[in-house]
Amino acid sequence: MKALKLIIEKFEGEYFGRVKNPDFMPVSSAKNLEDLKTDIKNQIKDHLEYDELDSWSDIDINSIDFELCYDLTALFNRFDYLKITNVAEKAGMNSALLRQYVSGVKYPSADQSNKIVKAIQEISKELAEAVVM
């Protein structure tokens, strides 16, 4: 089974998550990601027991895996070792502006979002290629 996209947002100390689907959209919140994933799985299980005729009916609850899709606040909270200043520099943008995006004061345009994503992907690639001796 393909992983379900779990969209994760962070607000006031909690993670909020949802899985988009035209028939059923489980939504939950929790203090940590493991509890969030567990609750979403339980909602899907309950839904499958209730309605076996929708597009979720072919899902085996035990094989559900999630592709985690973070908003900026949740991403920088989850990976708090990522330094905003360094990511901003890698993205070629002002670190104060990135802080405003991360805090939710401002929202990035599609172009700015792409710069941030590309910078984080470059950091990830650099780390994956690093050899520690």
Side-chain angles (χ1 to χ4, degrees):
M1 181 193 153
K2 174 177 125 174
L4 299 174
K5 285 189 179 189
L6 177 57
I7 300 163
I8 300 170
E9 299 174 356
K10 180 89 172 159
F11 182 71
E12 293 185 0
E14 288 205 55
Y15 290 101
F16 291 83
R18 66 186 183 281
V19 176
K20 287 185 178 181
N21 182 278
D23 299 320
F24 168 66
M25 185 170 72
V27 176
S28 186
S29 66
K31 293 285 183 191
N32 62 62
L33 292 176
E34 286 309 310
D35 288 348
L36 179 66
K37 291 190 286 189
T38 298
D39 191 51
I40 294 286
K41 281 185 179 183
N42 286 336
Q43 286 185 42
I44 293 169
K45 179 182 175 191
D46 291 347
H47 179 74
L48 291 175
E49 290 172 358
Y50 175 76
D51 186 357
E52 297 177 1
L53 300 176
D54 73 10
S55 63
W56 292 82
S57 61
D58 62 340
I59 294 176
D60 174 13
I61 195 70
N62 298 316
S63 68
I64 289 178
D65 195 18
F66 294 111
E67 175 185 347
L68 305 180
C69 304
Y70 295 90
D71 76 350
L72 283 176
T73 303
L75 179 89
F76 278 93
N77 183 272
R78 167 64 180 86
F79 303 102
D80 59 356
Y81 47 82
L82 280 175
K83 300 301 178 202
I84 291 174
T85 302
N86 297 344
V87 174
E89 182 178 320
K90 181 73 102 177
M93 63 191 316
N94 182 297
S95 62
L97 182 60
L98 182 53
R99 276 186 187 70
Q100 290 176 332
Y101 294 156
V102 171
S103 68
V105 172
K106 289 187 175 183
Y107 298 96
S109 66
D111 184 52
Q112 291 287 70
S113 292
N114 290 335
K115 285 181 184 180
I116 297 163
V117 168
K118 185 177 177 189
I120 292 170
Q121 288 171 340
E122 286 175 13
I123 292 167
S124 175
K125 184 178 178 203
E126 291 171 8
L127 285 170
E129 292 173 351
V131 176
V132 179
M133 299 181 80

